[in-house]
Amino acid sequence: MEKKMMSFGAFLGMIAIVLGAFGAHALKKVLTFEQLNTFEIGVKYQMYHALFLLLVGNIQMINEKAKKIIFYLISIGVFCFSGSIYFLATKTLTFIDFNAFGVVTPIGGLFLISGWLYLIWSFFNHPK
């Protein structure tokens, strides 16, 4: 699980860099300041959780089952939270009404919070 978690964390980090550069250069010309700030929030949270996965993959006191649960909670959370933010921030470019994705953002946030909460729970339930 460590290899999978760390590989995916590295992948998420790489994509966050690509999307951040895309936002700073290409989208800067076509989005409003508010839309660009929204897009950057998605990038920031994706990068935070990429680093989180890299960290958790290296923590030896967390068992495989806990790492697997954390991996899925964070992966789903990033996909829902950051993904929906990307769609909502760029909806004026596609002329597709992505407002329905707005409900996905807090669900993604709950998955991210759950991943952190499960990490805390794992620390307290680790045998000494």
Side-chain angles (χ1 to χ4, degrees), residues 62-117:
I62 302 172
N63 65 40
E64 286 295 308
K65 180 184 175 190
K67 286 183 180 184
K68 187 175 186 177
I69 291 169
I70 291 168
F71 172 77
Y72 286 113
L73 288 170
I74 296 300
S75 298
I76 293 167
V78 168
F79 180 74
C80 293
F81 184 83
S82 292
S84 64
I85 285 178
Y86 298 143
F87 283 122
L88 290 168
T90 60
K91 68 182 176 184
T92 57
L93 301 177
T94 61
F95 303 107
I96 298 172
D97 186 13
F98 287 114
N99 287 334
F101 279 99
V103 72
V104 176
T105 308
I107 293 169
L110 286 175
F111 273 92
L112 295 175
I113 292 166
S114 297
W116 284 90
L117 187 60

Side-chain angles (χ1 to χ4, degrees), residues 16-64:
I17 296 293
V18 169
L19 289 172
F22 180 66
H25 299 288
L27 294 179
K28 186 178 183 180
K29 300 171 186 171
V30 294
L31 294 181
T32 67
F33 180 75
E34 184 178 305
Q35 291 169 318
L36 195 56
N37 278 340
T38 300
F39 189 86
E40 288 176 3
I41 289 170
V43 172
K44 286 178 188 177
Y45 273 77
Q46 181 174 331
M47 181 57 83
Y48 297 153
H49 289 90
L51 296 172
F52 177 79
L53 289 175
L54 290 170
L55 175 70
V56 171
N58 278 304
I59 298 175
Q60 297 302 316
M61 67 184 286
I62 302 172
N63 65 40
E64 286 295 308

